[in-house]
Amino acid sequence: MGILPLAERLAKRALNRSGVQSRWVDTSVCRLHLYDAPGTGPLPTVVLLHGIGSSALPYAPVLQRLRRRARRVIAAEAPGHGWSAVPASAFTPECLTTAMNELLDRELDEPAIVVGNSLGGAVAVSYGLSSPDRVRALVLASPAGACMEQAELAQLLGTFKLRSRADAHAFFARLYHRVPWFTPLVAGDVVRMFARETIVSFTSSARCDHAFTPEQLRSLSMPILLIWGRSDRLMPGGNLEYYRRHLPPHAEIEEPEGVGHCPHVDDPRRFAERVAAFAREVLSREAGAPAPPGAPPASGVLGERAVPLEQGTGQAAT
């Protein structure tokens, strides 16, 4: 057994001991796993969605912080990821959307703050489009789903084809603000993880026409916070500009220093505080009241400054 599988077992056990339930949900695609944490706070249910090749466990520090602020926190795992089963057929974007939509439809008993990173961000947007009545707000961290040229998409998908420990190190350097100290210990596991059929199937089937159209993004009516770390070296800059150009005017966009593609890993405390602050802002707006005393300004705990939509200067990928 490699280090990553062992770490996942130990982390899962630790979460369970802290009162976080580990459950499976049957969908038409396959059996999915989720962590279900009862909370002690007044904020609505928070859903945490991970990216490709990851799992819910990197969200564990965020989950533990948010459960003190929210009524419930759910961290779901995509097909073939974490403890979820592998789909019987090819794992495609359509398969992912179907499975995660079914899971959320069954689990949510109130409109939720849906948080998604990378591919999980695209899942969050997709759910916001299909079930807007179940989404109280969206928090998107470097979301996938922007329209790109075919060559640019192929280059991005090529970064997930890891053939050596050196490739894994270079991948982590693009993913995080700083390369984690444990990278040499898990490099072999990461190479094997991205060679799994689930990942290869998905990256082989992803196409430009899976991207969100400008009309789809503009139709999102719920509050939206988009966080794009300045140290993100994985996603093309044009993807941020695509979202900046086409999200509705009420969306807030922040580009914080000190975090990369995965802010929940680079700085879980700041990320959890920002999600909680945004959720409080959403509740205050719904009530027509000013933000609670002591709440962070709209520029956020995570980011040093917010970037208004109208200040976008780059060209959107097409």
Side-chain angles (χ1 to χ4, degrees):
M1 179 183 294
I3 291 178
L4 273 182
L6 177 60
E8 286 207 343
R9 289 180 182 274
L10 294 176
K12 180 173 179 284
R13 192 174 303 168
L15 281 174
N16 294 159
R17 283 200 301 265
S18 73
V20 179
Q21 295 180 344
S22 182
R23 295 196 292 104
W24 281 263
V25 176
D26 289 322
T27 73
S28 63
V29 173
C30 63
R31 200 181 193 202
L32 299 184
H33 177 260
L34 61 85
Y35 293 98
D36 192 348
T40 57
L43 296 177
T45 296
V46 177
V47 174
L48 303 172
L49 301 172
H50 65 80
I52 190 169
S54 187
S55 72
L57 284 176
Y59 274 120
V62 173
L63 179 149
Q64 295 288 30
R65 287 172 169 84
L66 287 176
R67 65 187 297 207
R68 298 194 292 265
R69 315 282 186 85
R71 292 187 284 270
R72 182 186 182 198
V73 183
I74 298 171
E77 295 184 315
H81 291 68
W83 299 96
S84 290
V86 175
S89 57
F91 182 50
T92 63
E94 293 86 357
C95 168
L96 173 65
T97 299
T98 298
M100 301 308 286
N101 283 6
E102 288 183 16
L103 179 144
L104 293 176
D105 281 347
R106 295 180 188 182
E107 287 297 316
L108 293 181
D109 54 10
E110 66 169 331
I113 309 294
V114 182
V115 180
N117 171 236
S118 194
L119 183 60
V123 172
V125 171
S126 179
Y127 194 65
L129 290 169
S130 65
S131 303
D133 57 321
R134 293 175 178 264
V135 179
R136 203 153 190 171
L138 290 171
V139 179
L140 311 173
S142 293
C147 187
M148 291 186 283
E149 296 282 0
Q150 183 61 47
E152 192 173 33
L153 176 62
Q155 183 177 17
L156 173 62
L157 295 175
T159 62
F160 301 109
K161 297 177 181 179
L162 309 180
R163 298 176 176 82
S164 67
R165 297 171 66 90
D167 287 347
H169 190 282
F171 179 73
F172 274 25
R174 299 183 70 172
L175 205 61
Y176 301 120
H177 176 60
R178 293 189 180 88
V179 178
W181 62 268
F182 53 80
T183 297
L185 302 177
V186 302
D189 289 337
V190 172
V191 173
R192 287 187 288 274
M193 177 180 65
F194 278 96
R196 293 187 319 217
E197 177 58 30
T198 302
I199 307 298
V200 174
S201 173
F202 189 90
T203 56
S204 299
S205 60
R207 304 184 305 275
C208 290
D209 57 8
H210 288 124
F212 301 114
T213 66
E215 294 75 22
Q216 286 177 312
L217 294 179
R218 281 195 291 267
S219 73
L220 294 168
S221 59
M222 67 286 296
I224 302 169
L225 171 63
L226 186 145
I227 296 169
W228 201 285
R230 288 185 173 272
S231 295
D232 188 341
R233 294 174 285 272
L234 182 68
M235 286 289 191
N239 287 27
L240 169 59
E241 297 308 324
Y242 187 83
Y243 274 104
R244 191 196 310 279
R245 189 178 298 274
H246 299 303
L247 281 175
H250 66 262
E252 301 175 37
I253 299 182
E254 297 176 3
E255 298 179 62
E257 301 284 355
V259 295
H261 186 69
C262 302
H264 61 292
V265 177
D266 280 322
D267 200 330
R269 179 189 62 80
R270 289 169 65 199
F271 187 72
E273 288 179 358
R274 186 64 189 108
V275 171
F278 184 63
R280 288 196 299 269
E281 293 167 12
V282 169
L283 294 186
S284 295
R285 293 171 199 162
E286 289 176 353
S299 57
V301 175
L302 186 69
E304 282 71 19
R305 68 185 186 93
V307 182
L309 292 173
E310 62 269 15
Q311 290 184 6
T313 57
Q315 294 296 313
T318 57

mmCIF file of all heavy atoms in Angstrom, residues 9-27:
data_model
loop_
_atom_site.group_PDB
_atom_site.id
_atom_site.type_symbol
_atom_site.label_atom_id
_atom_site.label_comp_id
_atom_site.label_asym_id
_atom_site.label_seq_id
_atom_site.Cartn_x
_atom_site.Cartn_y
_atom_site.Cartn_z
ATOM 1 N N ARG A 9 -6.955 6.356 4.511
ATOM 2 C CA ARG A 9 -7.602 5.499 5.510
ATOM 3 C C ARG A 9 -7.535 6.135 6.895
ATOM 4 O O ARG A 9 -8.523 6.143 7.641
ATOM 5 C CB ARG A 9 -6.940 4.118 5.526
ATOM 6 C CG ARG A 9 -7.239 3.277 4.307
ATOM 7 C CD ARG A 9 -6.552 1.915 4.387
ATOM 8 N NE ARG A 9 -6.813 1.146 3.194
ATOM 9 C CZ ARG A 9 -7.880 0.376 3.011
ATOM 10 N NH1 ARG A 9 -8.802 0.308 3.961
ATOM 11 N NH2 ARG A 9 -8.045 -0.305 1.892
ATOM 12 N N LEU A 10 -6.363 6.652 7.232
ATOM 13 C CA LEU A 10 -6.195 7.256 8.556
ATOM 14 C C LEU A 10 -7.032 8.527 8.691
ATOM 15 O O LEU A 10 -7.647 8.768 9.736
ATOM 16 C CB LEU A 10 -4.710 7.564 8.798
ATOM 17 C CG LEU A 10 -3.786 6.337 8.893
ATOM 18 C CD1 LEU A 10 -2.337 6.784 9.024
ATOM 19 C CD2 LEU A 10 -4.179 5.461 10.077
ATOM 20 N N ALA A 11 -7.068 9.329 7.627
ATOM 21 C CA ALA A 11 -7.849 10.571 7.677
ATOM 22 C C ALA A 11 -9.341 10.266 7.763
ATOM 23 O O ALA A 11 -10.076 10.940 8.498
ATOM 24 C CB ALA A 11 -7.545 11.428 6.448
ATOM 25 N N LYS A 12 -9.797 9.267 7.027
ATOM 26 C CA LYS A 12 -11.205 8.874 7.086
ATOM 27 C C LYS A 12 -11.568 8.424 8.494
ATOM 28 O O LYS A 12 -12.616 8.788 9.042
ATOM 29 C CB LYS A 12 -11.468 7.765 6.075
ATOM 30 C CG LYS A 12 -12.904 7.245 6.027
ATOM 31 C CD LYS A 12 -13.045 6.277 4.859
ATOM 32 C CE LYS A 12 -14.445 5.698 4.762
ATOM 33 N NZ LYS A 12 -14.649 4.657 5.791
ATOM 34 N N ARG A 13 -10.693 7.641 9.102
ATOM 35 C CA ARG A 13 -10.940 7.168 10.463
ATOM 36 C C ARG A 13 -10.996 8.333 11.446
ATOM 37 O O ARG A 13 -11.844 8.376 12.344
ATOM 38 C CB ARG A 13 -9.843 6.178 10.853
ATOM 39 C CG ARG A 13 -10.113 5.381 12.119
ATOM 40 C CD ARG A 13 -9.043 4.343 12.311
ATOM 41 N NE ARG A 13 -8.951 3.448 11.146
ATOM 42 C CZ ARG A 13 -7.944 2.595 10.957
ATOM 43 N NH1 ARG A 13 -6.939 2.553 11.823
ATOM 44 N NH2 ARG A 13 -7.941 1.816 9.908
ATOM 45 N N ALA A 14 -10.093 9.295 11.255
ATOM 46 C CA ALA A 14 -10.079 10.461 12.152
ATOM 47 C C ALA A 14 -11.353 11.288 12.004
ATOM 48 O O ALA A 14 -11.916 11.766 12.996
ATOM 49 C CB ALA A 14 -8.844 11.314 11.861
ATOM 50 N N LEU A 15 -11.820 11.474 10.779
ATOM 51 C CA LEU A 15 -13.065 12.208 10.566
ATOM 52 C C LEU A 15 -14.240 11.486 11.227
ATOM 53 O O LEU A 15 -15.074 12.114 11.879
ATOM 54 C CB LEU A 15 -13.332 12.375 9.068
ATOM 55 C CG LEU A 15 -12.550 13.466 8.341
ATOM 56 C CD1 LEU A 15 -12.823 13.410 6.843
ATOM 57 C CD2 LEU A 15 -12.875 14.844 8.878
ATOM 58 N N ASN A 16 -14.295 10.173 11.045
ATOM 59 C CA ASN A 16 -15.382 9.403 11.651
ATOM 60 C C ASN A 16 -15.363 9.529 13.168
ATOM 61 O O ASN A 16 -16.423 9.657 13.803
ATOM 62 C CB ASN A 16 -15.283 7.938 11.240
ATOM 63 C CG ASN A 16 -15.500 7.700 9.758
ATOM 64 O OD1 ASN A 16 -15.097 6.679 9.203
ATOM 65 N ND2 ASN A 16 -16.114 8.663 9.059
ATOM 66 N N ARG A 17 -14.172 9.507 13.766
ATOM 67 C CA ARG A 17 -14.072 9.625 15.223
ATOM 68 C C ARG A 17 -14.517 10.991 15.713
ATOM 69 O O ARG A 17 -14.952 11.140 16.850
ATOM 70 C CB ARG A 17 -12.632 9.349 15.687
ATOM 71 C CG ARG A 17 -12.250 7.876 15.707
ATOM 72 C CD ARG A 17 -11.051 7.645 16.599
ATOM 73 N NE ARG A 17 -9.898 8.414 16.147
ATOM 74 C CZ ARG A 17 -8.943 7.951 15.357
ATOM 75 N NH1 ARG A 17 -9.004 6.699 14.903
ATOM 76 N NH2 ARG A 17 -7.927 8.709 14.985
ATOM 77 N N SER A 18 -14.412 12.013 14.841
ATOM 78 C CA SER A 18 -14.802 13.365 15.237
ATOM 79 C C SER A 18 -16.296 13.618 15.044
ATOM 80 O O SER A 18 -16.759 14.747 15.240
ATOM 81 C CB SER A 18 -13.996 14.397 14.446
ATOM 82 O OG SER A 18 -14.433 14.466 13.093
ATOM 83 N N GLY A 19 -17.039 12.593 14.647
ATOM 84 C CA GLY A 19 -18.477 12.745 14.483
ATOM 85 C C GLY A 19 -18.939 12.961 13.057
ATOM 86 O O GLY A 19 -20.128 13.198 12.815
ATOM 87 N N VAL A 20 -18.017 12.890 12.099
ATOM 88 C CA VAL A 20 -18.372 13.036 10.684
ATOM 89 C C VAL A 20 -18.780 11.667 10.141
ATOM 90 O O VAL A 20 -18.002 10.712 10.206
ATOM 91 C CB VAL A 20 -17.194 13.607 9.867
ATOM 92 C CG1 VAL A 20 -17.570 13.717 8.394
ATOM 93 C CG2 VAL A 20 -16.770 14.961 10.420
ATOM 94 N N GLN A 21 -19.980 11.576 9.619
ATOM 95 C CA GLN A 21 -20.460 10.310 9.078
ATOM 96 C C GLN A 21 -19.837 10.037 7.714
ATOM 97 O O GLN A 21 -19.630 10.947 6.910
ATOM 98 C CB GLN A 21 -21.980 10.330 8.926
ATOM 99 C CG GLN A 21 -22.736 10.421 10.224
ATOM 100 C CD GLN A 21 -24.243 10.425 9.995
ATOM 101 O OE1 GLN A 21 -24.725 10.650 8.881
ATOM 102 N NE2 GLN A 21 -24.997 10.164 11.044
ATOM 103 N N SER A 22 -19.539 8.785 7.461
ATOM 104 C CA SER A 22 -19.059 8.329 6.166
ATOM 105 C C SER A 22 -20.165 7.475 5.569
ATOM 106 O O SER A 22 -20.502 6.418 6.098
ATOM 107 C CB SER A 22 -17.780 7.517 6.348
ATOM 108 O OG SER A 22 -17.264 7.094 5.109
ATOM 109 N N ARG A 23 -20.766 7.939 4.463
ATOM 110 C CA ARG A 23 -21.939 7.254 3.922
ATOM 111 C C ARG A 23 -21.808 7.068 2.413
ATOM 112 O O ARG A 23 -21.037 7.764 1.761
ATOM 113 C CB ARG A 23 -23.220 8.059 4.211
ATOM 114 C CG ARG A 23 -23.559 8.172 5.678
ATOM 115 C CD ARG A 23 -24.995 8.616 5.879
ATOM 116 N NE ARG A 23 -25.247 9.993 5.448
ATOM 117 C CZ ARG A 23 -25.883 10.325 4.331
ATOM 118 N NH1 ARG A 23 -26.292 9.404 3.485
ATOM 119 N NH2 ARG A 23 -26.089 11.600 4.040
ATOM 120 N N TRP A 24 -22.598 6.123 1.905
ATOM 121 C CA TRP A 24 -22.654 5.883 0.471
ATOM 122 C C TRP A 24 -24.063 6.152 -0.040
ATOM 123 O O TRP A 24 -25.050 5.917 0.673
ATOM 124 C CB TRP A 24 -22.254 4.443 0.142
ATOM 125 C CG TRP A 24 -20.772 4.235 0.165
ATOM 126 C CD1 TRP A 24 -19.917 4.239 -0.903
ATOM 127 C CD2 TRP A 24 -19.953 3.997 1.310
ATOM 128 N NE1 TRP A 24 -18.624 4.029 -0.492
ATOM 129 C CE2 TRP A 24 -18.617 3.870 0.867
ATOM 130 C CE3 TRP A 24 -20.215 3.896 2.682
ATOM 131 C CZ2 TRP A 24 -17.569 3.640 1.722
ATOM 132 C CZ3 TRP A 24 -19.155 3.664 3.556
ATOM 133 C CH2 TRP A 24 -17.852 3.531 3.071
ATOM 134 N N VAL A 25 -24.148 6.659 -1.249
ATOM 135 C CA VAL A 25 -25.428 6.965 -1.885
ATOM 136 C C VAL A 25 -25.453 6.284 -3.245
ATOM 137 O O VAL A 25 -24.518 6.442 -4.046
ATOM 138 C CB VAL A 25 -25.617 8.490 -2.056
ATOM 139 C CG1 VAL A 25 -26.905 8.796 -2.799
ATOM 140 C CG2 VAL A 25 -25.595 9.190 -0.705
ATOM 141 N N ASP A 26 -26.484 5.529 -3.524
ATOM 142 C CA ASP A 26 -26.619 4.866 -4.818
ATOM 143 C C ASP A 26 -27.167 5.841 -5.856
ATOM 144 O O ASP A 26 -28.166 6.527 -5.622
ATOM 145 C CB ASP A 26 -27.558 3.668 -4.702
ATOM 146 C CG ASP A 26 -26.934 2.526 -3.914
ATOM 147 O OD1 ASP A 26 -25.711 2.307 -4.079
ATOM 148 O OD2 ASP A 26 -27.646 1.870 -3.132
ATOM 149 N N THR A 27 -26.513 5.911 -7.004
ATOM 150 C CA THR A 27 -26.989 6.704 -8.131
ATOM 151 C C THR A 27 -27.087 5.792 -9.348
ATOM 152 O O THR A 27 -26.639 4.644 -9.326
ATOM 153 C CB THR A 27 -26.045 7.884 -8.451
ATOM 154 O OG1 THR A 27 -24.838 7.377 -9.066
ATOM 155 C CG2 THR A 27 -25.677 8.646 -7.182
#
